[in-house]
Amino acid sequence: QPFQQTHDARRAEIKAQVMCLLKRLILLLSLCYLASAQTETCQAGEFDINPLKEPAYWEVDVPPDICREFGFPDACTLYMSFCAGIPDNITGCDTSSQGLGPTSLCIANETTGYSMGVYDLNKNPFRFSGERDELSAAFQGKNYSKCFDNRTIQTAILFNCDADANWETLEEFEFGDASDWLGEFFFDFEDPCVFNIQFNYDRVCPHKECGGIKHYNVDNLVRPDYWTVDIDSATCNKFLESNSNCTLYLSFCEDLKSVSICSQYNTTVCLSDGTNAYSFGKYNVYTNPFTSIKKNSLLVAYAGGEPYPKCPESLSKDIATIMGLNCAFGAIWKHNGKVGDASSNLALFEPNPEDPCQILVELNYAGACLNVAEESSSDNENVGWVGIGLLLALIVIVALYLTIGSAVNIARGNSGCPEMLPQFAFWKAFFVAVVEGVYFSANIISCGLCSRTVGTAPGSEYDKL
């Protein structure tokens, strides 16, 4: 009997442990499901919304007329967080205590705030259509003084294509400023509870082809993984606090993934002294970096670089590289399929004297020479199409002339052929006179050898004409 009691106690203890493990497993699965549900409910299909979600929140300077609608006498700010709640310490923006969930949109000044949207873990705020390049987001918020009957605020955000509207922020900043990308901010005149906000955003634009400049050849530039350009110590010291040589890495239409020292950045232009590396610009798939503003020259531009020693963060500047490719028939860029060396083609590499955060580069390149044969061929094609257009126009005019003129003559009773044709007598005499004129000219040129008499007797074809 004591043995049976011990056995029963042991079984009860094991059963309790198993039940505890099952409860923990169920709880863990529930948390994983909620986490995955949260991830899945904040997505936008083929559109890239990662830049929108990266900072903890965004700030936007609101137009004064909208601030006044909310009762703010002076300036106010819109705080946004698309896939989470904004910080609770923003005045008037904490709605979690009211059982409404975390606030995603809030308009506030230093003393008062109104929730314009609450993030719902079970709903995807984004609406998207890849076929029409449309992306929007919708939120519901708390009522305010002009939104009567305790109704909720309806806020719709529409993202418009703008290849220059890059929402990327530096990782060390908690928030981002989207004031530059604000398009319109207005409320519905028929319903003060409905607000519409429009932002410009590059990630809703269709991808642009990199290169493809008419009459120029950039194919050789984009074939290798990257190019290297050796920079001497004196030039390198203009950018970095270094007395050693450095290397400029270039990859025109993609990131420098194959260069380990530069791979920490999503960069296309990178300068390194072997110890440190700095991004001087990034390739944006929504813009073509290549342009041509004058003959025998290409311009390549990249923005979004990182601060470097001679352009510190205190300047609050966007690092950009402006690269000129100048025509030089002998400047052939050679590569082995993976890496190419363009050091011998470097003509200029220095900071802009007026802006140290803008890097100026000039390189000689045979592909920047205008393809004259191709240009002439294109011009000939244009001339050919113009000639065809004029011929078609002439045919249409003649057809209208004959149709309308014949109709008028038939109405006048001249229904016989060829008298029904418009101005038949004139055209008959005209063409006969042309033949007579040819004989007359030949008679003059041949000094009378062509003796046909033309246009001299009364009643001649010239008199008739």
Side-chain angles (χ1 to χ4, degrees):
Q1 185 175 2
F3 174 80
Q4 183 65 33
Q5 292 177 351
T6 304
H7 181 68
D8 292 342
R10 182 60 179 166
R11 289 181 60 185
E13 181 181 356
I14 293 175
K15 184 177 180 180
Q17 291 178 352
V18 170
M19 293 300 296
C20 181
L21 289 174
L22 286 175
K23 289 180 180 180
R24 290 182 179 180
L25 180 60
I26 293 173
L27 178 61
L28 180 61
L29 291 175
S30 300
L31 292 175
C32 292
Y33 173 77
L34 290 175
S36 63
Q38 179 176 354
T39 302
E40 293 176 358
T41 55
C42 195
Q43 51 87 25
E46 65 186 48
F47 293 107
D48 181 10
I49 59 173
N50 288 325
L52 303 180
K53 300 190 295 183
E54 283 177 356
Y57 65 97
W58 293 91
E59 291 185 359
V60 180
D61 295 332
V62 180
D65 56 329
I66 299 297
C67 292
R68 288 191 289 270
E69 284 296 322
F70 282 89
F72 300 121
D74 299 316
C76 60
T77 302
L78 175 67
Y79 299 92
M80 305 184 302
S81 180
F82 294 97
C83 296
I86 60 177
D88 298 336
N89 57 358
I90 299 176
T91 303
C93 294
D94 181 15
T95 54
S96 58
S97 60
Q98 305 171 23
L100 299 177
T103 298
S104 283
L105 299 177
C106 182
I107 187 169
N109 63 3
E110 296 179 353
T111 58
T112 310
Y114 297 98
S115 169
M116 297 185 66
V118 174
Y119 179 63
D120 189 342
L121 294 176
N122 299 316
K123 292 183 180 180
N124 184 7
F126 287 99
R127 310 287 184 268
F128 48 91
S129 173
E131 294 180 357
R132 296 191 296 269
D133 293 329
E134 293 180 357
L135 176 65
S136 61
F139 298 92
Q140 292 185 346
K142 191 180 69 171
N143 66 309
Y144 70 111
S145 58
K146 294 189 178 182
C147 183
F148 42 84
D149 298 333
N150 290 323
R151 295 175 56 200
T152 56
I153 298 176
Q154 307 288 328
T155 303
I157 299 177
L158 177 65
F159 297 94
N160 298 317
C161 168
D162 182 350
D164 296 325
N166 189 336
W167 286 54
E168 291 187 0
T169 56
L170 297 178
E171 295 180 357
E172 55 266 29
F173 291 141
E174 180 186 7
F175 66 92
D177 189 344
S179 302
D180 291 340
W181 314 130
L182 177 64
E184 296 186 52
F185 193 147
F186 57 94
F187 66 93
D188 192 322
F189 290 102
E190 297 180 356
D191 190 343
C193 300
V194 177
F195 282 83
N196 295 279
I197 308 174
Q198 294 186 12
F199 285 102
N200 298 324
Y201 184 45
D202 60 354
R203 303 302 171 94
V204 298
C205 299
H207 289 202
K208 292 290 184 70
E209 178 186 359
C210 184
I213 302 298
K214 195 173 183 179
H215 308 314
Y216 295 93
N217 181 8
V218 299
D219 293 343
N220 191 52
L221 299 179
V222 300
R223 285 194 180 113
D225 293 341
Y226 62 93
W227 296 90
T228 61
V229 180
D230 296 332
I231 308 298
D232 60 71
S233 58
T235 304
C236 187
N237 187 254
K238 296 179 181 179
F239 300 91
L240 313 180
E241 295 175 350
S242 173
N243 294 320
S244 61
N245 297 338
C246 53
T247 303
L248 180 67
Y249 297 93
L250 304 173
S251 180
F252 289 91
C253 294
E254 60 182 356
D255 296 340
L256 286 164
K257 300 175 182 178
S258 303
V259 182
S260 57
I261 198 169
C262 298
S263 59
Q264 59 181 313
Y265 309 105
N266 295 323
T267 183
T268 302
V269 184
C270 177
L271 182 67
S272 172
D273 60 0
T275 303
N276 300 301
Y278 300 92
S279 169
F280 281 1
K282 301 178 181 179
Y283 168 58
N284 187 344
V285 297
Y286 305 100
T287 61
N288 185 0
F290 290 91
T291 56
S292 178
I293 58 177
K294 64 179 181 179
K295 284 188 175 183
N296 295 318
S297 179
L298 288 172
L299 187 68
V300 193
Y302 301 99
E306 308 290 341
Y308 64 96
K310 298 298 175 72
C311 178
E313 294 180 17
S314 58
L315 292 178
S316 299
K317 291 275 189 173
D318 289 332
I319 312 300
T321 296
I322 308 299
M323 187 184 310
L325 300 177
N326 302 321
C327 170
F329 288 102
I332 307 298
W333 290 33
K334 297 181 180 180
H335 59 85
N336 60 11
K338 294 291 185 180
V339 182
D341 187 353
S343 303
S344 60
N345 299 309
L346 182 65
L348 175 71
F349 182 54
E350 63 180 20
N352 188 334
E354 299 179 357
D355 184 355
C357 297
Q358 187 180 84
I359 294 91
L360 304 178
V361 185
E362 287 190 14
L363 293 157
N364 297 322
Y365 177 54
C369 299
L370 184 66
N371 190 329
V372 179
E374 182 181 339
E375 183 186 33
S376 301
S377 174
S378 176
D379 293 341
N380 291 336
E381 290 178 5
N382 294 335
V383 172
W385 282 111
V386 171
I388 293 174
L390 292 175
L391 179 60
L392 291 175
L394 178 61
I395 292 174
V396 171
I397 292 173
V398 171
L400 290 174
Y401 170 71
L402 292 174
T403 302
I404 297 174
S406 298
V408 171
N409 283 338
I410 292 173
R412 290 176 177 176
N414 299 326
S415 58
C417 187
E419 289 78 9
M420 62 178 287
L421 297 175
Q423 285 87 36
F424 170 72
F426 166 79
W427 290 113
K428 179 181 179 182
F430 175 80
F431 287 111
V432 172
V434 169
V435 175
E436 295 285 344
V438 171
Y439 279 106
F440 179 80
S441 301
N443 188 37
I444 296 296
I445 296 172
S446 64
C447 298
L449 294 178
C450 297
S451 58
R452 178 170 176 149
T453 303
V454 183
T456 56
S460 68
E461 298 301 330
Y462 279 106
D463 293 335
K464 295 178 182 179
L465 185 60

